[in-house]
Amino acid sequence: MIKNRTKNVVLPFVFCFLIALALYPNSTLDPETYSTEGLELNYNISKDMAMVAEEHTTKQNMFTPHLGKSFEGFKEALAFKESRGNYFTVNTLGYLGKYQFGSETLKLIGIYKPNQFLYNPELQEKAFIANAERNKWVLRKDIKRFEGKQISGIKVTESGILAAAHLAGPGSVKKFLRSYGNNNSSDAYGSTVKHYMKKFSGYDTSVIVADKKARVTP
């Protein structure tokens, strides 16, 4: 960084000197007039200041949309938890894609070709919506009954319910709610219904319409 700053100061002087020689070849120019002697060119910047400047520049060059508690925020937060947002990943248990769908769940919403699903991001997004619509229909009475209540130390919200249903299925969510937290299922990696209900609470999922027959057309 110091070298670059020095170049930025010296080069303009050299450039001006060369232009002057080109325009006035017969004139007597005193090189001392263009000397950098005496100029303070050795800039010493502390490591902390350099890091702050670099971080500021990096932030200026980045665009990170703030999705907040919107439905898009809900989808992307859940996808990051499931797969870090990777459409083309398959976990050790064979769950597929950005939202980590199992083959049996895919069949429920009309998808019978896992390979086609894995390499089709648009289809994955449609599958997420259809699955959420179906889960919302299955859990419609429980959403109405328990939304806003405190269960096992967490506030029940629709988005938390839908996230937990995505993790463990709507049946497991029913058991959790109706047992008031005593029946807390988990997946093979240890993520629980309670954890998902808390982590993904408070998002706006009103765009999801409960639909018993929600399907995807590949």
Side-chain angles (χ1 to χ4, degrees):
M1 181 178 292
I2 294 173
K3 290 182 179 179
N4 288 337
R5 287 177 174 270
T6 304
K7 289 180 180 178
N8 290 338
V9 175
V10 174
L11 288 177
F13 282 98
V14 174
F15 186 62
C16 291
F17 180 71
L18 293 175
I19 290 177
L21 287 176
L23 293 176
Y24 306 101
N26 297 323
S27 61
T28 56
L29 297 175
D30 183 4
E32 294 299 323
T33 305
Y34 303 96
S35 173
T36 59
E37 185 178 354
L39 292 177
E40 186 178 352
L41 301 178
N42 185 21
Y43 294 94
N44 291 313
I45 302 174
S46 70
K47 182 178 180 181
D48 290 340
M49 287 295 291
M51 290 177 66
V52 169
E54 182 177 355
E55 180 181 358
H56 178 69
T57 301
T58 301
K59 286 183 177 180
Q60 282 186 324
N61 293 332
M62 290 176 62
F63 174 69
T64 306
H66 178 67
L67 300 176
K69 291 292 185 176
S70 67
F71 179 65
E72 288 298 322
F74 173 71
K75 282 203 313 170
E76 294 307 315
L78 186 54
F80 188 81
K81 171 64 176 172
E82 293 292 322
S83 70
R84 294 192 174 271
N86 186 349
Y87 284 109
F88 311 111
T89 189
V90 180
N91 76 4
T92 56
L93 298 175
Y95 286 82
L96 307 165
K98 180 178 178 180
Y99 301 102
Q100 292 292 277
F101 277 96
S103 58
E104 294 304 312
T105 300
L106 290 176
K107 289 177 184 178
L108 290 175
I109 55 176
I111 298 173
Y112 301 96
K113 297 180 179 179
N115 285 336
Q116 180 188 24
F117 172 79
L118 182 62
Y119 295 104
N120 190 332
E122 182 179 357
L123 188 60
Q124 292 188 34
E125 295 297 336
K126 289 179 179 179
F128 179 82
I129 299 296
N131 188 55
E133 290 175 341
R134 180 181 174 278
N135 286 339
K136 188 168 181 176
W137 185 87
V138 174
L139 291 162
R140 65 196 185 284
K141 294 180 181 178
D142 296 274
I143 292 171
K144 184 177 181 179
R145 177 183 173 185
F146 293 103
E147 188 174 19
K149 293 184 178 180
Q150 292 280 336
I151 291 182
S152 192
I154 63 172
K155 183 179 180 180
V156 177
T157 66
E158 181 180 283
S159 63
I161 288 174
L162 293 180
H166 182 86
L167 170 77
S172 295
V173 177
K174 282 183 183 239
K175 291 177 181 178
F176 175 84
L177 293 172
R178 296 178 186 185
S179 69
Y180 287 87
N182 290 321
N183 193 327
N184 184 25
S185 301
S186 64
D187 69 0
Y189 299 105
S191 294
T192 65
V193 167
K194 178 181 177 180
H195 175 70
Y196 265 52
M197 288 191 68
K198 180 178 180 180
K199 184 175 181 64
F200 299 104
S201 68
Y203 286 89
D204 181 8
T205 53
S206 59
V207 68
I208 296 297
V209 178
D211 184 357
K212 179 181 180 180
K213 298 181 180 181
R215 296 289 185 277
V216 175
T217 302

